[in-house]
Amino acid sequence: MQIARTLPFIAFRSSASATMGQIFAHVWRIVSTRQGLVELDERMLKDLGVSRAQAQFEISRPVWKLFR
């Protein structure tokens, strides 16, 4: 299971109608969420159903790869 599927606001789809402000706000949420993942301990990750390896994978992904 990928973390992007457990955090619905990450599954943002860019479109021609998205403004730069909307895109920036979404990228900011991604960065903030990833920072939060860094700070979670093993117990908290387990509560989310996410392993440390999955969290590390999500943290290391470039932001632009989330836009399809």
Side-chain angles (χ1 to χ4, degrees):
M1 172 175 58
Q2 292 183 351
I3 294 175
R5 293 178 187 219
T6 63
L7 302 173
F9 55 85
I10 290 178
F12 177 81
R13 302 274 187 216
S14 64
S15 69
S17 63
T19 66
M20 287 303 291
Q22 290 170 324
I23 292 170
F24 179 78
H26 181 69
V27 169
W28 186 259
R29 282 191 303 269
I30 292 169
V31 171
S32 298
T33 300
R34 288 180 176 179
Q35 182 60 38
L37 282 174
V38 169
E39 297 170 0
L40 296 179
D41 63 24
E42 297 300 322
R43 181 187 57 81
M44 293 175 176
L45 288 172
K46 185 178 178 184
D47 286 345
L48 291 173
V50 175
S51 71
R52 176 60 62 191
Q54 289 171 316
Q56 286 300 116
F57 174 76
E58 185 63 30
I59 293 163
S60 69
R61 290 176 65 193
V63 172
W64 60 87
K65 289 210 173 193
L66 296 174
F67 295 92
R68 297 180 185 130

